[in-house]
Amino acid sequence: MKQTLKIIAISALVTAAAIKAVPAFSQPLAAQNVSVVRTADLDLSTARGRAELDHRLVTAAREACGSAADIDLSGQNQVRACRVDVLGKARAESRDLASRGGSVSVAAAQ
């Protein structure tokens, strides 16, 4: 009888320790904001079409990266860096659009 109670108590302690440790080992998934910029209605062979695409990419980068409060200087710097990074990748992807058509994905990890 004593042996059975001892085994039950040890099992309960091991289970409780395992349950408590699980959140410490888990990694939260990085949230990602994605905007898709459609280009089917643009003539990318003209300067006007390319300027409109660039305007759409800038808007999508703003939406994907979000914003920070006016008093959060660190957050504003992170948002600014995100926009520069995302916009650079989107512009590089958009250079191929003249030949293949389609859309550009603008993604930012939050």
Side-chain angles (χ1 to χ4, degrees):
M1 182 74 167
K2 258 186 172 180
Q3 186 69 17
T4 306
L5 290 177
K6 191 174 187 181
I7 291 173
I8 292 172
I10 290 172
S11 296
L13 289 173
V14 169
T15 303
I19 290 172
K20 285 281 198 183
V22 169
F25 295 120
S26 67
Q27 298 265 339
L29 294 175
Q32 193 171 43
N33 293 337
V34 177
S35 291
V36 176
V37 177
R38 308 249 183 252
T39 61
D41 62 327
L42 299 176
D43 182 5
L44 298 177
S45 64
T46 66
R48 184 176 181 166
R50 289 188 302 273
E52 177 61 27
L53 174 60
D54 192 62
H55 176 70
R56 291 180 186 182
L57 293 176
V58 169
T59 303
R62 286 182 182 270
E63 289 175 1
C65 292
S67 61
D70 290 339
I71 60 171
D72 184 9
L73 297 180
S74 175
Q76 287 180 354
N77 287 336
Q78 290 174 349
V79 168
R80 191 175 299 117
C82 173
R83 287 179 184 166
V84 168
D85 181 51
V86 166
L87 195 55
K89 290 177 185 174
R91 283 178 174 156
E93 185 180 341
S94 72
R95 288 187 195 108
D96 299 334
L97 284 178
S99 62
R100 65 176 169 82
S103 59
V104 178
S105 295
V106 179
Q110 291 289 322

